[in-house]
Amino acid sequence: MTSTRDTNRLPGGIPGLFVVLVFVAGAVTACGEGAADTPEGPLPSDLSALSDRFWDAYLSWNPLQATYLGANRLNDRVRDISPSGRTNRRREVGALIDALAAINFPTLPPGERLTWLALDHQLRGEIAQQTCDLEVWVVDHREGFQLDFLNVVGAQPLETPVDGERMIRRWNAYANFIDDYISNLRSGLETGRVAARASVNRTIIQLDALLERPVEEWPIYAPAGTRLDAWPEGTRHDFRAGIREAATDRIRPAYARLRDFLRDELYPHSRTGAEVGLSSLPGGGACYEALIRDFTTLDLAPDEIHDQGLAELGAIHEELRDLGSKVLGTSDLAEIQTRLRSDPEMFFRWPGEIVQMAEEAYARAALVMPDWFGTPPRTEMVIRPIPLYEAPQSVLAYYREPAPDGSRPGTYFINTYRPEIRPRYQADVLSFHEAIPGHHLQTAIAQEVEGLPEFRKHLGSVAFVEGWALYAERLADEMGLYVDDLSRIGLASYDAWRASRLVVDTGIHAFGWTREEAIGFLRENTLLAETNIENEVDRYITSPAQALTYKLGQLEILRLRSAAEARLGEAFSIAEFHDRVLENGALSLPALRDAIDRWLAETAS
């Protein structure tokens, strides 16, 4: 998944493509030093200049993401989620939308039309997030700021005393951010908007575990131990003292205040039972419809999506029965599930096995890439375990994009916590989703395309990003990357999981399903292990509509490929098709359809 992590649409999260990555943003304060340095003056009428203006504004709204992308001038900032900050963001987004609407779309050349559509998608996504007002009620145990504040340490530069000053200012600003967040949640509570109990409970558990550890063991304290030999001695001393003071006197107490608020004030009022979905919140129906349009880039009603998921599941179950006969000697789906979930040999024994199997899958894929892609990525990727402070409540894996300047590779983070609950037969398909030919390939290529506006290199449609990664899982079988039929059971099981998401996500948020009903559906219709089932359902509850993107995006890419094969016949080249899909960044699905249709018209003429 993203994400990104998946694209993060929660207060304080890092909104990259995979670092649950979202585009909820706010005007930023410089750690209490005044107004943000967002662009001033009238908005340009030229599309290229307007794209640059949006990108500057986006980075100023999302300073932690800016750090990951190397925009170091914002390394002293955190997002402004105060009421005034959210108002400023709404005003800025509205002005950008008006400026974009004033550009005459029909007169633009084809490449600029794609930029216009991509920018329109980004801005409409901001409006969708504002419709839901997520910052006054969302609590995210997967990709919330309480993790991002710890994780950004690895990306924040510390080469010069100026870097040190920025880090100390940002570290001190964390406490103010947390107090604003608590204030926002209190205002949401007053208006009947409150997070679901599962995410609140998991976040409390997460914070409890962190607060039980000495602050000296927290990632935000680690810079105090950096050598910094090139710095003047007095500067080194002041920096270390500043980091220790921020961590001990400000950040840790703020995390404790957050834990106490969630436990004592919010948890008793959190949503449970049939109220766990968005439909139970004031304006929840409109919010869910807006999120569906934003995430999927399609105009689909919840019941259409629900029925499509059921139809997809039927076909995948037949595939699982056929593979079960070959591998396990049974075509009974319930028996296949029992055998795979109960046999200890189907699971890992120690964390190093998980990393090793991921590295082997990555190496196999790298060998055959030239046969399937005309323009493979130049950027390297590494594989790392998810940090222990987030692993117990985290997903199976996520991908974090590389630094555009090449200073940091793409990173495939894999969950090695409790290896005995993690199935071996699903390890290959997970790697092909997150690494190559999945997320790393798509993200690195987007960053490397010459001439794309910066925002198109780093942002885009989640349906494209996750749809491509799910398409890549099946493509890997065509590429000969699965080692046996047991690993193909893993492939089919992941497809069943993504089809089930269409049913479960809409069930929860449109049709009043309880958490228990959603868990039961996944248990009956997928091969996920029990712990993963509960984690997944809590994810869908916390991040409405995001889970719809995988299957809907995959199906659209498959439709486009079938159309290209039919139109071009023997002239069809799979490598060229993949290059045409990936060469424009993460387009909305309608824009991708237009781009492929134009390529086919030009090629076939």
Side-chain angles (χ1 to χ4, degrees), residues 43-63:
L43 291 171
S45 57
D46 173 73
L47 181 59
S48 177
L50 187 63
S51 296
D52 291 341
R53 179 68 73 90
F54 164 74
W55 184 236
D56 286 343
Y58 175 84
L59 292 177
S60 71
W61 298 338
N62 298 281

mmCIF file with all atom_site columns, all heavy atoms in Angstrom, residues 43-63:
data_model
loop_
_atom_site.group_PDB
_atom_site.id
_atom_site.type_symbol
_atom_site.label_atom_id
_atom_site.label_alt_id
_atom_site.label_comp_id
_atom_site.label_asym_id
_atom_site.label_entity_id
_atom_site.label_seq_id
_atom_site.pdbx_PDB_ins_code
_atom_site.Cartn_x
_atom_site.Cartn_y
_atom_site.Cartn_z
_atom_site.occupancy
_atom_site.B_iso_or_equiv
_atom_site.pdbx_formal_charge
_atom_site.auth_seq_id
_atom_site.auth_comp_id
_atom_site.auth_asym_id
_atom_site.auth_atom_id
_atom_site.pdbx_PDB_model_num
ATOM 1   N N   . LEU A 1 43 ? -2.434 35.957 -8.261  1.00 0.00 ? 43 LEU A N   1
ATOM 2   C CA  . LEU A 1 43 ? -2.088 34.664 -8.827  1.00 0.00 ? 43 LEU A CA  1
ATOM 3   C C   . LEU A 1 43 ? -1.867 34.788 -10.334 1.00 0.00 ? 43 LEU A C   1
ATOM 4   O O   . LEU A 1 43 ? -2.568 35.534 -11.014 1.00 0.00 ? 43 LEU A O   1
ATOM 5   C CB  . LEU A 1 43 ? -3.190 33.651 -8.545  1.00 0.00 ? 43 LEU A CB  1
ATOM 6   C CG  . LEU A 1 43 ? -3.319 33.252 -7.067  1.00 0.00 ? 43 LEU A CG  1
ATOM 7   C CD1 . LEU A 1 43 ? -4.566 32.411 -6.856  1.00 0.00 ? 43 LEU A CD1 1
ATOM 8   C CD2 . LEU A 1 43 ? -2.094 32.485 -6.615  1.00 0.00 ? 43 LEU A CD2 1
ATOM 9   N N   . PRO A 1 44 ? -0.917 34.054 -10.884 1.00 0.00 ? 44 PRO A N   1
ATOM 10  C CA  . PRO A 1 44 ? -0.614 34.174 -12.318 1.00 0.00 ? 44 PRO A CA  1
ATOM 11  C C   . PRO A 1 44 ? -1.705 33.548 -13.175 1.00 0.00 ? 44 PRO A C   1
ATOM 12  O O   . PRO A 1 44 ? -2.424 32.646 -12.747 1.00 0.00 ? 44 PRO A O   1
ATOM 13  C CB  . PRO A 1 44 ? 0.707  33.404 -12.445 1.00 0.00 ? 44 PRO A CB  1
ATOM 14  C CG  . PRO A 1 44 ? 0.710  32.448 -11.300 1.00 0.00 ? 44 PRO A CG  1
ATOM 15  C CD  . PRO A 1 44 ? -0.005 33.135 -10.181 1.00 0.00 ? 44 PRO A CD  1
ATOM 16  N N   . SER A 1 45 ? -1.790 34.019 -14.404 1.00 0.00 ? 45 SER A N   1
ATOM 17  C CA  . SER A 1 45 ? -2.747 33.461 -15.361 1.00 0.00 ? 45 SER A CA  1
ATOM 18  C C   . SER A 1 45 ? -2.108 32.401 -16.247 1.00 0.00 ? 45 SER A C   1
ATOM 19  O O   . SER A 1 45 ? -2.801 31.695 -16.969 1.00 0.00 ? 45 SER A O   1
ATOM 20  C CB  . SER A 1 45 ? -3.323 34.571 -16.245 1.00 0.00 ? 45 SER A CB  1
ATOM 21  O OG  . SER A 1 45 ? -2.276 35.265 -16.923 1.00 0.00 ? 45 SER A OG  1
ATOM 22  N N   . ASP A 1 46 ? -0.798 32.283 -16.194 1.00 0.00 ? 46 ASP A N   1
ATOM 23  C CA  . ASP A 1 46 ? -0.072 31.277 -16.957 1.00 0.00 ? 46 ASP A CA  1
ATOM 24  C C   . ASP A 1 46 ? -0.091 29.961 -16.185 1.00 0.00 ? 46 ASP A C   1
ATOM 25  O O   . ASP A 1 46 ? 0.181  29.930 -14.982 1.00 0.00 ? 46 ASP A O   1
ATOM 26  C CB  . ASP A 1 46 ? 1.373  31.754 -17.168 1.00 0.00 ? 46 ASP A CB  1
ATOM 27  C CG  . ASP A 1 46 ? 2.240  30.682 -17.798 1.00 0.00 ? 46 ASP A CG  1
ATOM 28  O OD1 . ASP A 1 46 ? 2.078  30.422 -18.998 1.00 0.00 ? 46 ASP A OD1 1
ATOM 29  O OD2 . ASP A 1 46 ? 3.048  30.081 -17.052 1.00 0.00 ? 46 ASP A OD2 1
ATOM 30  N N   . LEU A 1 47 ? -0.403 28.839 -16.862 1.00 0.00 ? 47 LEU A N   1
ATOM 31  C CA  . LEU A 1 47 ? -0.557 27.558 -16.181 1.00 0.00 ? 47 LEU A CA  1
ATOM 32  C C   . LEU A 1 47 ? 0.738  27.105 -15.533 1.00 0.00 ? 47 LEU A C   1
ATOM 33  O O   . LEU A 1 47 ? 0.729  26.590 -14.406 1.00 0.00 ? 47 LEU A O   1
ATOM 34  C CB  . LEU A 1 47 ? -1.063 26.497 -17.162 1.00 0.00 ? 47 LEU A CB  1
ATOM 35  C CG  . LEU A 1 47 ? -1.299 25.105 -16.567 1.00 0.00 ? 47 LEU A CG  1
ATOM 36  C CD1 . LEU A 1 47 ? -2.328 25.155 -15.442 1.00 0.00 ? 47 LEU A CD1 1
ATOM 37  C CD2 . LEU A 1 47 ? -1.743 24.136 -17.659 1.00 0.00 ? 47 LEU A CD2 1
ATOM 38  N N   . SER A 1 48 ? 1.861  27.268 -16.206 1.00 0.00 ? 48 SER A N   1
ATOM 39  C CA  . SER A 1 48 ? 3.129  26.852 -15.630 1.00 0.00 ? 48 SER A CA  1
ATOM 40  C C   . SER A 1 48 ? 3.430  27.619 -14.350 1.00 0.00 ? 48 SER A C   1
ATOM 41  O O   . SER A 1 48 ? 3.819  27.038 -13.323 1.00 0.00 ? 48 SER A O   1
ATOM 42  C CB  . SER A 1 48 ? 4.258  27.047 -16.643 1.00 0.00 ? 48 SER A CB  1
ATOM 43  O OG  . SER A 1 48 ? 5.501  26.718 -16.070 1.00 0.00 ? 48 SER A OG  1
ATOM 44  N N   . ALA A 1 49 ? 3.230  28.923 -14.390 1.00 0.00 ? 49 ALA A N   1
ATOM 45  C CA  . ALA A 1 49 ? 3.483  29.738 -13.203 1.00 0.00 ? 49 ALA A CA  1
ATOM 46  C C   . ALA A 1 49 ? 2.490  29.416 -12.089 1.00 0.00 ? 49 ALA A C   1
ATOM 47  O O   . ALA A 1 49 ? 2.846  29.399 -10.909 1.00 0.00 ? 49 ALA A O   1
ATOM 48  C CB  . ALA A 1 49 ? 3.407  31.219 -13.569 1.00 0.00 ? 49 ALA A CB  1
ATOM 49  N N   . LEU A 1 50 ? 1.242  29.144 -12.462 1.00 0.00 ? 50 LEU A N   1
ATOM 50  C CA  . LEU A 1 50 ? 0.243  28.793 -11.457 1.00 0.00 ? 50 LEU A CA  1
ATOM 51  C C   . LEU A 1 50 ? 0.582  27.451 -10.809 1.00 0.00 ? 50 LEU A C   1
ATOM 52  O O   . LEU A 1 50 ? 0.403  27.266 -9.597  1.00 0.00 ? 50 LEU A O   1
ATOM 53  C CB  . LEU A 1 50 ? -1.151 28.737 -12.091 1.00 0.00 ? 50 LEU A CB  1
ATOM 54  C CG  . LEU A 1 50 ? -2.320 28.536 -11.124 1.00 0.00 ? 50 LEU A CG  1
ATOM 55  C CD1 . LEU A 1 50 ? -2.445 29.712 -10.154 1.00 0.00 ? 50 LEU A CD1 1
ATOM 56  C CD2 . LEU A 1 50 ? -3.626 28.343 -11.892 1.00 0.00 ? 50 LEU A CD2 1
ATOM 57  N N   . SER A 1 51 ? 1.096  26.522 -11.604 1.00 0.00 ? 51 SER A N   1
ATOM 58  C CA  . SER A 1 51 ? 1.528  25.235 -11.055 1.00 0.00 ? 51 SER A CA  1
ATOM 59  C C   . SER A 1 51 ? 2.653  25.426 -10.045 1.00 0.00 ? 51 SER A C   1
ATOM 60  O O   . SER A 1 51 ? 2.658  24.799 -8.978  1.00 0.00 ? 51 SER A O   1
ATOM 61  C CB  . SER A 1 51 ? 1.998  24.306 -12.180 1.00 0.00 ? 51 SER A CB  1
ATOM 62  O OG  . SER A 1 51 ? 0.941  23.999 -13.062 1.00 0.00 ? 51 SER A OG  1
ATOM 63  N N   . ASP A 1 52 ? 3.604  26.299 -10.376 1.00 0.00 ? 52 ASP A N   1
ATOM 64  C CA  . ASP A 1 52 ? 4.695  26.587 -9.442  1.00 0.00 ? 52 ASP A CA  1
ATOM 65  C C   . ASP A 1 52 ? 4.164  27.239 -8.171  1.00 0.00 ? 52 ASP A C   1
ATOM 66  O O   . ASP A 1 52 ? 4.622  26.916 -7.067  1.00 0.00 ? 52 ASP A O   1
ATOM 67  C CB  . ASP A 1 52 ? 5.733  27.497 -10.098 1.00 0.00 ? 52 ASP A CB  1
ATOM 68  C CG  . ASP A 1 52 ? 6.508  26.806 -11.213 1.00 0.00 ? 52 ASP A CG  1
ATOM 69  O OD1 . ASP A 1 52 ? 6.510  25.558 -11.251 1.00 0.00 ? 52 ASP A OD1 1
ATOM 70  O OD2 . ASP A 1 52 ? 7.094  27.519 -12.044 1.00 0.00 ? 52 ASP A OD2 1
ATOM 71  N N   . ARG A 1 53 ? 3.203  28.147 -8.321  1.00 0.00 ? 53 ARG A N   1
ATOM 72  C CA  . ARG A 1 53 ? 2.631  28.811 -7.154  1.00 0.00 ? 53 ARG A CA  1
ATOM 73  C C   . ARG A 1 53 ? 1.919  27.806 -6.256  1.00 0.00 ? 53 ARG A C   1
ATOM 74  O O   . ARG A 1 53 ? 2.038  27.848 -5.030  1.00 0.00 ? 53 ARG A O   1
ATOM 75  C CB  . ARG A 1 53 ? 1.664  29.919 -7.589  1.00 0.00 ? 53 ARG A CB  1
ATOM 76  C CG  . ARG A 1 53 ? 0.994  30.664 -6.426  1.00 0.00 ? 53 ARG A CG  1
ATOM 77  C CD  . ARG A 1 53 ? 1.985  31.514 -5.634  1.00 0.00 ? 53 ARG A CD  1
ATOM 78  N NE  . ARG A 1 53 ? 2.373  32.684 -6.396  1.00 0.00 ? 53 ARG A NE  1
ATOM 79  C CZ  . ARG A 1 53 ? 1.736  33.853 -6.336  1.00 0.00 ? 53 ARG A CZ  1
ATOM 80  N NH1 . ARG A 1 53 ? 0.679  33.986 -5.558  1.00 0.00 ? 53 ARG A NH1 1
ATOM 81  N NH2 . ARG A 1 53 ? 2.166  34.866 -7.045  1.00 0.00 ? 53 ARG A NH2 1
ATOM 82  N N   . PHE A 1 54 ? 1.168  26.891 -6.873  1.00 0.00 ? 54 PHE A N   1
ATOM 83  C CA  . PHE A 1 54 ? 0.506  25.855 -6.076  1.00 0.00 ? 54 PHE A CA  1
ATOM 84  C C   . PHE A 1 54 ? 1.529  25.016 -5.331  1.00 0.00 ? 54 PHE A C   1
ATOM 85  O O   . PHE A 1 54 ? 1.351  24.705 -4.146  1.00 0.00 ? 54 PHE A O   1
ATOM 86  C CB  . PHE A 1 54 ? -0.354 24.949 -6.965  1.00 0.00 ? 54 PHE A CB  1
ATOM 87  C CG  . PHE A 1 54 ? -0.748 23.672 -6.276  1.00 0.00 ? 54 PHE A CG  1
ATOM 88  C CD1 . PHE A 1 54 ? -1.720 23.662 -5.287  1.00 0.00 ? 54 PHE A CD1 1
ATOM 89  C CD2 . PHE A 1 54 ? -0.107 22.470 -6.584  1.00 0.00 ? 54 PHE A CD2 1
ATOM 90  C CE1 . PHE A 1 54 ? -2.059 22.484 -4.628  1.00 0.00 ? 54 PHE A CE1 1
ATOM 91  C CE2 . PHE A 1 54 ? -0.435 21.290 -5.936  1.00 0.00 ? 54 PHE A CE2 1
ATOM 92  C CZ  . PHE A 1 54 ? -1.419 21.297 -4.951  1.00 0.00 ? 54 PHE A CZ  1
ATOM 93  N N   . TRP A 1 55 ? 2.613  24.618 -6.009  1.00 0.00 ? 55 TRP A N   1
ATOM 94  C CA  . TRP A 1 55 ? 3.600  23.759 -5.365  1.00 0.00 ? 55 TRP A CA  1
ATOM 95  C C   . TRP A 1 55 ? 4.256  24.469 -4.182  1.00 0.00 ? 55 TRP A C   1
ATOM 96  O O   . TRP A 1 55 ? 4.455  23.878 -3.117  1.00 0.00 ? 55 TRP A O   1
ATOM 97  C CB  . TRP A 1 55 ? 4.638  23.319 -6.387  1.00 0.00 ? 55 TRP A CB  1
ATOM 98  C CG  . TRP A 1 55 ? 5.662  22.357 -5.858  1.00 0.00 ? 55 TRP A CG  1
ATOM 99  C CD1 . TRP A 1 55 ? 7.017  22.510 -5.878  1.00 0.00 ? 55 TRP A CD1 1
ATOM 100 C CD2 . TRP A 1 55 ? 5.430  21.080 -5.252  1.00 0.00 ? 55 TRP A CD2 1
ATOM 101 N NE1 . TRP A 1 55 ? 7.636  21.426 -5.323  1.00 0.00 ? 55 TRP A NE1 1
ATOM 102 C CE2 . TRP A 1 55 ? 6.675  20.530 -4.927  1.00 0.00 ? 55 TRP A CE2 1
ATOM 103 C CE3 . TRP A 1 55 ? 4.272  20.359 -4.948  1.00 0.00 ? 55 TRP A CE3 1
ATOM 104 C CZ2 . TRP A 1 55 ? 6.825  19.294 -4.304  1.00 0.00 ? 55 TRP A CZ2 1
ATOM 105 C CZ3 . TRP A 1 55 ? 4.410  19.117 -4.334  1.00 0.00 ? 55 TRP A CZ3 1
ATOM 106 C CH2 . TRP A 1 55 ? 5.668  18.597 -4.018  1.00 0.00 ? 55 TRP A CH2 1
ATOM 107 N N   . ASP A 1 56 ? 4.572  25.756 -4.345  1.00 0.00 ? 56 ASP A N   1
ATOM 108 C CA  . ASP A 1 56 ? 5.134  26.516 -3.229  1.00 0.00 ? 56 ASP A CA  1
ATOM 109 C C   . ASP A 1 56 ? 4.144  26.563 -2.061  1.00 0.00 ? 56 ASP A C   1
ATOM 110 O O   . ASP A 1 56 ? 4.527  26.399 -0.900  1.00 0.00 ? 56 ASP A O   1
ATOM 111 C CB  . ASP A 1 56 ? 5.468  27.942 -3.670  1.00 0.00 ? 56 ASP A CB  1
ATOM 112 C CG  . ASP A 1 56 ? 6.705  28.004 -4.552  1.00 0.00 ? 56 ASP A CG  1
ATOM 113 O OD1 . ASP A 1 56 ? 7.478  27.026 -4.563  1.00 0.00 ? 56 ASP A OD1 1
ATOM 114 O OD2 . ASP A 1 56 ? 6.895  29.030 -5.238  1.00 0.00 ? 56 ASP A OD2 1
ATOM 115 N N   . ALA A 1 57 ? 2.868  26.790 -2.386  1.00 0.00 ? 57 ALA A N   1
ATOM 116 C CA  . ALA A 1 57 ? 1.857  26.845 -1.334  1.00 0.00 ? 57 ALA A CA  1
ATOM 117 C C   . ALA A 1 57 ? 1.703  25.483 -0.669  1.00 0.00 ? 57 ALA A C   1
ATOM 118 O O   . ALA A 1 57 ? 1.604  25.381 0.562   1.00 0.00 ? 57 ALA A O   1
ATOM 119 C CB  . ALA A 1 57 ? 0.526  27.306 -1.915  1.00 0.00 ? 57 ALA A CB  1
ATOM 120 N N   . TYR A 1 58 ? 1.688  24.431 -1.477  1.00 0.00 ? 58 TYR A N   1
ATOM 121 C CA  . TYR A 1 58 ? 1.518  23.087 -0.928  1.00 0.00 ? 58 TYR A CA  1
ATOM 122 C C   . TYR A 1 58 ? 2.632  22.746 0.055   1.00 0.00 ? 58 TYR A C   1
ATOM 123 O O   . TYR A 1 58 ? 2.383  22.205 1.139   1.00 0.00 ? 58 TYR A O   1
ATOM 124 C CB  . TYR A 1 58 ? 1.497  22.061 -2.066  1.00 0.00 ? 58 TYR A CB  1
ATOM 125 C CG  . TYR A 1 58 ? 1.453  20.644 -1.575  1.00 0.00 ? 58 TYR A CG  1
ATOM 126 C CD1 . TYR A 1 58 ? 0.242  20.053 -1.240  1.00 0.00 ? 58 TYR A CD1 1
ATOM 127 C CD2 . TYR A 1 58 ? 2.622  19.911 -1.405  1.00 0.00 ? 58 TYR A CD2 1
ATOM 128 C CE1 . TYR A 1 58 ? 0.194  18.751 -0.750  1.00 0.00 ? 58 TYR A CE1 1
ATOM 129 C CE2 . TYR A 1 58 ? 2.572  18.610 -0.918  1.00 0.00 ? 58 TYR A CE2 1
ATOM 130 C CZ  . TYR A 1 58 ? 1.369  18.040 -0.599  1.00 0.00 ? 58 TYR A CZ  1
ATOM 131 O OH  . TYR A 1 58 ? 1.328  16.772 -0.101  1.00 0.00 ? 58 TYR A OH  1
ATOM 132 N N   . LEU A 1 59 ? 3.871  23.056 -0.301  1.00 0.00 ? 59 LEU A N   1
ATOM 133 C CA  . LEU A 1 59 ? 4.990  22.769 0.596   1.00 0.00 ? 59 LEU A CA  1
ATOM 134 C C   . LEU A 1 59 ? 4.890  23.590 1.870   1.00 0.00 ? 59 LEU A C   1
ATOM 135 O O   . LEU A 1 59 ? 5.184  23.101 2.966   1.00 0.00 ? 59 LEU A O   1
ATOM 136 C CB  . LEU A 1 59 ? 6.319  23.042 -0.112  1.00 0.00 ? 59 LEU A CB  1
ATOM 137 C CG  . LEU A 1 59 ? 6.675  22.091 -1.257  1.00 0.00 ? 59 LEU A CG  1
ATOM 138 C CD1 . LEU A 1 59 ? 7.984  22.517 -1.904  1.00 0.00 ? 59 LEU A CD1 1
ATOM 139 C CD2 . LEU A 1 59 ? 6.753  20.645 -0.800  1.00 0.00 ? 59 LEU A CD2 1
ATOM 140 N N   . SER A 1 60 ? 4.451  24.853 1.753   1.00 0.00 ? 60 SER A N   1
ATOM 141 C CA  . SER A 1 60 ? 4.310  25.668 2.952   1.00 0.00 ? 60 SER A CA  1
ATOM 142 C C   . SER A 1 60 ? 3.176  25.165 3.833   1.00 0.00 ? 60 SER A C   1
ATOM 143 O O   . SER A 1 60 ? 3.225  25.292 5.059   1.00 0.00 ? 60 SER A O   1
ATOM 144 C CB  . SER A 1 60 ? 4.083  27.145 2.583   1.00 0.00 ? 60 SER A CB  1
ATOM 145 O OG  . SER A 1 60 ? 2.794  27.350 2.037   1.00 0.00 ? 60 SER A OG  1
ATOM 146 N N   . TRP A 1 61 ? 2.155  24.565 3.228   1.00 0.00 ? 61 TRP A N   1
ATOM 147 C CA  . TRP A 1 61 ? 1.077  23.956 4.016   1.00 0.00 ? 61 TRP A CA  1
ATOM 148 C C   . TRP A 1 61 ? 1.539  22.676 4.702   1.00 0.00 ? 61 TRP A C   1
ATOM 149 O O   . TRP A 1 61 ? 1.006  22.283 5.730   1.00 0.00 ? 61 TRP A O   1
ATOM 150 C CB  . TRP A 1 61 ? -0.107 23.593 3.113   1.00 0.00 ? 61 TRP A CB  1
ATOM 151 C CG  . TRP A 1 61 ? -0.777 24.727 2.421   1.00 0.00 ? 61 TRP A CG  1
ATOM 152 C CD1 . TRP A 1 61 ? -0.767 26.047 2.774   1.00 0.00 ? 61 TRP A CD1 1
ATOM 153 C CD2 . TRP A 1 61 ? -1.560 24.645 1.231   1.00 0.00 ? 61 TRP A CD2 1
ATOM 154 N NE1 . TRP A 1 61 ? -1.496 26.793 1.888   1.00 0.00 ? 61 TRP A NE1 1
ATOM 155 C CE2 . TRP A 1 61 ? -1.989 25.959 0.925   1.00 0.00 ? 61 TRP A CE2 1
ATOM 156 C CE3 . TRP A 1 61 ? -1.931 23.601 0.392   1.00 0.00 ? 61 TRP A CE3 1
ATOM 157 C CZ2 . TRP A 1 61 ? -2.792 26.234 -0.178  1.00 0.00 ? 61 TRP A CZ2 1
ATOM 158 C CZ3 . TRP A 1 61 ? -2.731 23.880 -0.712  1.00 0.00 ? 61 TRP A CZ3 1
ATOM 159 C CH2 . TRP A 1 61 ? -3.157 25.181 -0.990  1.00 0.00 ? 61 TRP A CH2 1
ATOM 160 N N   . ASN A 1 62 ? 2.505  21.993 4.112   1.00 0.00 ? 62 ASN A N   1
ATOM 161 C CA  . ASN A 1 62 ? 2.921  20.655 4.561   1.00 0.00 ? 62 ASN A CA  1
ATOM 162 C C   . ASN A 1 62 ? 4.431  20.599 4.777   1.00 0.00 ? 62 ASN A C   1
ATOM 163 O O   . ASN A 1 62 ? 5.163  19.963 4.013   1.00 0.00 ? 62 ASN A O   1
ATOM 164 C CB  . ASN A 1 62 ? 2.505  19.607 3.517   1.00 0.00 ? 62 ASN A CB  1
ATOM 165 C CG  . ASN A 1 62 ? 1.008  19.552 3.331   1.00 0.00 ? 62 ASN A CG  1
ATOM 166 O OD1 . ASN A 1 62 ? 0.301  18.958 4.123   1.00 0.00 ? 62 ASN A OD1 1
ATOM 167 N ND2 . ASN A 1 62 ? 0.522  20.186 2.277   1.00 0.00 ? 62 ASN A ND2 1
ATOM 168 N N   . PRO A 1 63 ? 4.929  21.268 5.793   1.00 0.00 ? 63 PRO A N   1
ATOM 169 C CA  . PRO A 1 63 ? 6.383  21.409 5.930   1.00 0.00 ? 63 PRO A CA  1
ATOM 170 C C   . PRO A 1 63 ? 7.132  20.116 6.230   1.00 0.00 ? 63 PRO A C   1
ATOM 171 O O   . PRO A 1 63 ? 8.304  20.000 5.876   1.00 0.00 ? 63 PRO A O   1
ATOM 172 C CB  . PRO A 1 63 ? 6.535  22.422 7.077   1.00 0.00 ? 63 PRO A CB  1
ATOM 173 C CG  . PRO A 1 63 ? 5.231  22.404 7.799   1.00 0.00 ? 63 PRO A CG  1
ATOM 174 C CD  . PRO A 1 63 ? 4.197  22.083 6.776   1.00 0.00 ? 63 PRO A CD  1
#
